[in-house]
Amino acid sequence: MDTPLRLEVIVASPRPERFAPVVADWFLAAVARRPEFAVGVLDLRDLALPVELTEAPTVDEFRARIGAADAFVAVTSEYNHGYPASLKIALDSAKREWRAKPIGFVSYGGLSGGLRAVEQLRQVVAELHMVSVRESVSFAQAKRRFDATGATDDRAAIDASARMIDQLAWWGRTLRAARAADPYPG
């Protein structure tokens, strides 16, 4: 399959004073250099997904986008040792659309760099029948890791990003081919 993989980058933090756009834009610039991906952004601050998980046109549109995607990256902060409620609502708003698709994580926060949020997310996405790639990107004390232009010289994050993108490409191609040959039985 020569068609680029559809990668949806989910920006999880809905807070008005959030740091998420800096981290997301950095990752989007990194993945933009990779021709095997066609990239979209789902900014949860801009989506009106109902907290009650009810049916709505917005939910239908969201599910359609999730269903059309081949892979995902969640850019997430860590709030009180966990991930944002907006991301939980997004994950719970779809079901079959997530299945047999890979997901990677770019996290940021204080001392832990969002790693506790990612560990919780790995459990949730496993329940959704997704494949979380092994590599993840983490920015501890994130506001200190980026300059005024949104660039970083954090070599560990840059290298981890490249490895994560490679893993997403492999899993994305492999699972897309598998879903086409034999639909996932979930």
Side-chain angles (χ1 to χ4, degrees), residues 106-163:
V106 176
S107 64
Y108 61 96
L111 293 176
S112 80
L115 292 175
R116 294 174 293 217
V118 169
E119 289 308 309
Q120 291 175 14
L121 283 163
R122 288 187 192 282
Q123 295 174 32
V124 174
V125 301
E127 185 64 23
L128 293 169
H129 299 245
M130 298 178 82
V131 175
S132 68
V133 299
R134 174 63 184 94
E135 196 66 53
S136 64
V137 181
S138 174
F139 290 101
Q141 299 183 344
K143 291 181 181 177
R144 296 182 184 176
R145 301 285 180 241
F146 292 87
D147 66 20
T149 68
T152 185
D153 62 0
D154 185 329
R155 202 67 237 163
I158 293 166
D159 293 345
S161 171
R163 289 188 304 270

Side-chain angles (χ1 to χ4, degrees), residues 1 3-7 65-72 95-103 128-131 168-186:
M1 297 183 189
T3 306
L5 296 165
R6 180 67 184 171
L7 173 66
R65 245 177 102 183
I66 298 305
D70 296 301
F72 304 92
K95 188 172 182 172
R96 296 188 188 291
E97 296 86 355
W98 297 111
R99 291 183 177 173
K101 295 178 183 180
I103 186 167
L128 293 169
H129 299 245
M130 298 178 82
V131 175
L168 279 169
W170 189 90
W171 278 107
R173 284 189 306 272
T174 301
L175 291 173
R176 179 169 67 181
R179 288 190 314 271
D182 185 15
Y184 186 76

Side-chain angles (χ1 to χ4, degrees), residues 3-17:
T3 306
L5 296 165
R6 180 67 184 171
L7 173 66
E8 290 288 354
V9 176
I10 302 166
V11 182
S13 176
R15 291 186 175 181
E17 310 269 331

Side-chain angles (χ1 to χ4, degrees), residues 1 9 19 27 36 53-54 73-74 83 116 124 134 138 147 156 164-165 172 175:
M1 297 183 189
V9 176
F19 193 68
F27 178 75
E36 64 263 50
L53 301 174
T54 55
V73 168
Y83 57 95
R116 294 174 293 217
V124 174
R134 174 63 184 94
S138 174
D147 66 20
M164 184 182 74
I165 292 168
L175 291 173

